[in-house]
Structures are given as C-alpha cells and as structure tokens.
C-alpha cells in the first residue's frame, strides 16, 4: 500500500503486552466516536466512578450529583443513615431530579412535582389516583451501587460489579501512609476546566513525568524529580517523589515533622487521581470526566484541614490554576490536534528496566487496561 498517509496504522504499529516492544495506543482510540461509544459500555458503565466525598453527605437528605459519561446520577443519605445512589431521572417523563449538591428533605421533580423518598420510593404523584391500575411500586427510582473508599464516594452502574474494596488492594492504606490526616480533611476549593482532548490523552499526561523537566520547570523544583517513581498495581498506579526545596519556584512550603513531605499521587482506573502535595496537610483530586470522544471536563478539588485555605494552600491553588494546569492543558490539546495529523503514525513507550523518572510504563499499564476492557488485549 502506498505511503499516502491514509493507510491504517494499527496493525503495523501494534500495542504489545511487553512495554519494551510495544507501540503506543493507536491514534484512532483518541478520536473515533465509535470507540468512545464502546468505552461508555465497557468502561464507564462497568467501573467504580467517583461521585463525591462523605463530607458532602453528613446529614440525612444531603446529596451530591455526578455525571458518568452521559448518565446522570445522584447519591443521597437517607433518614436511616444509609447512603444510596440512583439514576438522576424522574420515573414520570424523565426530567432530571436533583442538581449540583445540597440537602433535600424530599426529592421533588421540578417538572410535574412527583416526589420521592431518599430510599427511592415514590412518595407523591399528583393526579395518579385517577390513573387506572397505577402502582407506585412500578415507579421507584433505579438504584445503583455505592461504596466509599478513604472518605470518597464511588458509584457503579453495573449491578454485578465486584466491590471497590476488592479491586483497590493497598491503595487506601498507602494513601493514609502519605497523608495520615486524610480522615480529617475537608473540601476547600474546586477548579474547573473544559479541555479539547480525549479523556485518555488527559490520563496519559498524568501517568508519566517524562514530560516534567521540559514542560513543568517549577514542578521539577517542587519535587526531587530524579527520584520520581511510578509503580503499577492491578487497577491503579502510584507516582511518588521526595520533596524538592521548601523555597522552590512553584510555591513555598514548610516541611512537616510528623509525616512524609513527598509528592504522592495515585491514579485509579479509569479516570480519577489523588494527589498529596508537599506542604500543609492536603489531598487533591483530579477527576477527568469525558464529555465526548474529544472533549473532557476536569474538576481539581482541594481538601485541607480547614475549609478556608492557609497562605501556603492559597499559593498551591494558585500554582495549580495558573501554572501547572495551563501547562498540562496546552500539552494535551496540542496532542489531540496532532492525533489527527496525517503525518503521525504512532510512537513507542519510552521505558527503562529501572522504571526511573523518565519511564512511561504507567501509560502502557493504563492502555493495557483500556484494551482489556474493550476485549482487545493482545495475547
Ligand atoms: S417528569 Fe418528573 S414529574 Fe413529570
Ligand atoms: Fe504534566
């Protein structure tokens, strides 16, 4: 076949189970609407997805909403103290029930005011006493699985899914080791972004720090970059580095004496990352939410000991919002355009036996999970 730029590249440059011999995931995985449709079914409707934090569900009636691909979901604490999750859709004619987060004594649909209990039972439905053979039990909200991990609330649309706890291994213990104050942290600040990039392109960027020296000059001052190490496990990977200088060019911090000061981050399948930055007790969540084949929304949420950030924490937020995120968003949006180029044929993973700071094995691990979910993993 002629080298005309239109030749399919997947078979010529395949993903292989052996990272040292593998080409990267082919460009069409990042652009093709048909693959995004398959990912919805095979990944997002089957995986545990982040919905919020237990702090948002402290009292009966407290709720939080989330979107998983194209599915609206809410999580609510009932009068019995139990947290339950439901599709966020009215059983009458499909209006959305709850928005954002807050507290609802009763779940009332804004359209015709059908109302529901927090356990999903239909409570009132105006006029249905005149409707023949109307059975309220036929109009319960459809429940989905919910589980918490390290204070974070996850939901799963697959009723047959294995528990989250059984899938995450030592992740909660490892998070606690690097952030012993984790149970005390409160939501303090959210940054929101909309990216012109496929969700996997954004995850890819998180999973390697090969790009850090050229692209993040301040970050490589904040951490001891030569000691940055990525380790892969089942459905997650860890990305940990000792801290750099407290008076670095990203933001100044005071080293704690009672806990590690490392930059410690974890990616959890398919699209959430937890990050402990050097400085005052913190954890940040980068939630990478696909909104289409080539668009992604991000929430960058900061949890601190106080819901009012300290001076160091304000500096960290400013650094993330004004430096780190613009740097990464510029990178992934450039890559997204490049994935359409007739001149790009698919590169190689840069991996080394020592799995050092420049190794892209975390990316290879993620792509293997994507292909496995799609039923395309190489033998
Ligand atoms: S759609 Fe909700 S009450 Fe009609
Ligand atoms: Fe980056």
């Amino acid at each position: 076949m002629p080298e005309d730029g239109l030749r399919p590249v997947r078979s010529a440059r395949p993903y292989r189970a052996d990272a040292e011999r593998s080409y990267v995931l082919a460009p069409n995985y990042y652009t093709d609407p048909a693959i995004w449709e398959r990912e919805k079914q095979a990944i997002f409707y089957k995986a545990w997805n982040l919905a919020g934090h237990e702090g948002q569900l402290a009292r009966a009636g407290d709720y939080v909403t989330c979107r998983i691909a194209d599915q609206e979901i809410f999580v609510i604490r009932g009068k019995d103290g139990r947290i339950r999750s439901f599709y966020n859709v009215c059983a009458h004619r499909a209006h959305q029930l709850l928005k954002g987060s807050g507290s609802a004594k009763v779940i009332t649909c804004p359209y015709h005011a059908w109302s529901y209990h927090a356990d999903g039972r239909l409570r009132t439905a105006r006029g249905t006493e005149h409707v023949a053979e109307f059975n309220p039990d036929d109009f319960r909200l459809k429940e989905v699985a919910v589980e918490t991990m390290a204070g974070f609330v996850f939901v799963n649309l697959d009723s047959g899914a294995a528990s989250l706890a059984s899938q995450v291994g030592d992740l909660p213990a490892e998070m606690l080791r690097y952030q012993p104050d984790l149970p005390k942290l409160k939501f303090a600040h959210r940054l929101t972004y909309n990216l012109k990039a496929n969700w996997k392109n954004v995850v890819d960027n998180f999973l390697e720090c090969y790009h850090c020296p050229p692209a993040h000059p301040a970050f490589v001052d904040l951490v001891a970059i030569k000691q940055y190490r990525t380790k892969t496990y089942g459905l997650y990977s860890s990305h940990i580095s000792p801290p750099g200088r407290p008076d670095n060019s990203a933001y100044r911090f005071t080293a704690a004496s009672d806990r590690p000061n490392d930059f410690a981050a974890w990616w959890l399948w398919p699209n959430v990352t937890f990050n402990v930055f050097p400085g005052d007790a913190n954890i940040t969540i980068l939630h990478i939410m696909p909104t289409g084949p080539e668009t992604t929304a991000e929430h960058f949420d900061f949890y601190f000991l106080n819901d009012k950030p300290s001076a160091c924490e304000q500096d960290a937020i400013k650094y993330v919002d004004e430096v780190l995120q613009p740097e990464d968003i510029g990178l992934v949006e450039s890559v997204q355009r490049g994935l359409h180029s007739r001149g790009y044929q698919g590169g190689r993973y840069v991996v080394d036996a020592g799995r050092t700071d420049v190794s892209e094995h975390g990316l290879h691990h993620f792509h293997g999970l994507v292909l496995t979910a799609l039923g395309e993993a190489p033998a």
Side-chain angles (χ1 to χ4, degrees):
M1 195 179 285
E3 291 281 345
D4 59 5
L6 298 175
R7 191 174 56 155
V9 294
R10 277 177 61 194
S11 57
R13 298 188 166 208
Y15 174 93
R16 295 189 174 110
D18 178 0
E20 271 82 356
R21 294 175 54 249
S22 180
Y23 289 90
V24 300
L25 200 59
N28 62 310
Y29 281 83
Y30 297 86
T31 58
D32 185 347
I35 289 183
W36 162 234
E37 286 303 318
R38 289 173 53 214
E39 287 178 339
K40 279 200 251 179
Q41 306 287 336
I43 297 175
F44 291 95
Y45 299 170
K46 288 204 154 62
W48 286 95
N49 290 269
L50 181 70
H53 188 263
E54 278 180 319
Q56 295 170 294
L57 302 169
R59 292 172 301 274
D62 288 355
Y63 70 86
V64 59
T65 63
C66 66
R67 193 160 194 253
I68 300 169
D70 54 0
Q71 299 298 306
E72 305 280 350
I73 304 294
F74 71 90
V75 185
I76 190 164
R77 189 180 288 278
K79 284 198 189 109
D80 57 359
R82 260 189 67 187
I83 294 175
R84 296 179 181 82
S85 182
F86 302 92
Y87 284 90
N88 191 3
V89 64
C90 183
H92 175 220
R93 279 183 31 229
H95 197 282
Q96 186 186 41
L97 291 170
L98 294 172
K99 276 193 166 169
S101 59
S103 188
K105 291 235 163 359
V106 170
I107 302 159
T108 304
C109 178
Y111 200 173
H112 314 95
W114 281 26
S115 68
Y116 301 86
H117 297 283
D119 61 5
R121 280 176 301 135
L122 183 63
R123 177 175 167 273
T124 59
R126 284 186 310 122
T128 52
E129 61 275 21
H130 310 301
V131 175
E133 296 173 21
F134 183 86
N135 181 359
D137 288 342
D138 293 342
F139 301 97
R140 288 182 74 100
L141 300 179
K142 188 167 164 54
E143 194 163 353
V144 301
V146 61
E147 197 173 321
T148 59
M149 184 201 76
F152 295 94
V153 180
F154 288 79
V155 296
N156 197 315
L157 309 190
D158 177 5
S159 57
S163 72
L164 179 61
S166 71
Q167 297 188 31
V168 295
D170 291 334
L171 175 59
E174 200 174 332
M175 287 167 68
L176 207 53
R177 193 153 68 244
Y178 284 92
Q179 185 47 274
D181 285 324
L182 190 55
K184 292 191 242 159
L185 299 182
K186 299 183 186 76
F187 173 78
H189 196 75
R190 167 169 288 177
L191 301 170
T192 302
Y193 307 90
N194 288 297
L195 284 65
K196 294 193 184 77
N198 176 270
W199 71 278
K200 298 188 297 303
N201 176 359
V202 185
V203 172
D204 290 354
N205 176 257
F206 180 87
L207 293 177
E208 49 86 3
C209 218
Y210 182 36
H211 74 279
C212 293
H216 298 308
F219 184 76
V220 301
D221 203 18
L222 175 68
V223 304
I225 192 66
K226 295 308 289 176
Q227 295 173 64
Y228 191 104
R229 292 292 178 273
T230 294
K231 291 188 182 161
T232 63
Y233 308 86
L235 289 186
Y236 75 98
S237 53
S238 68
H239 308 260
I240 294 171
S241 173
R245 292 180 294 116
D247 64 341
N248 65 87
S249 53
Y251 62 88
R252 285 162 180 259
F253 65 87
T254 307
S257 56
D258 57 344
R259 58 185 159 80
N261 289 286
D262 305 56
F263 171 79
W266 299 267
W267 163 77
L268 175 62
W269 168 261
N271 65 336
V272 63
T273 80
F274 304 94
N275 311 268
V276 176
F277 279 84
D280 298 348
N282 73 87
I283 196 158
T284 70
I285 310 304
L286 176 61
H287 192 194
I288 298 162
M289 300 167 286
T291 53
E294 296 194 74
T295 54
T296 298
E298 282 184 341
H299 287 165
F300 211 125
D301 288 346
F302 295 78
Y303 290 81
F304 299 134
L305 280 178
N306 293 303
D307 49 13
K308 192 166 170 347
S310 67
C312 165
E313 289 160 353
Q314 282 175 15
D315 286 349
I317 293 171
K318 195 164 176 291
Y319 165 66
V320 168
D321 193 32
E322 295 181 10
V323 180
L324 188 64
Q325 280 289 88
E327 287 170 346
D328 276 328
I329 291 170
L331 296 171
V332 300
E333 290 190 337
S334 171
V335 165
Q336 194 65 35
R337 292 189 295 275
L339 290 163
H340 287 275
S341 171
R342 291 160 50 110
Y344 178 67
Q345 298 190 74
R348 293 285 301 271
Y349 298 100
V350 175
V351 290
D352 55 47
R355 300 302 192 241
T356 67
D357 54 305
V358 297
S359 186
E360 294 181 304
H361 55 286
L363 206 60
H364 177 265
H365 168 246
F366 168 48
H367 295 167
L369 292 173
V370 170
L371 292 172
T372 299
L374 294 174
E376 297 178 16

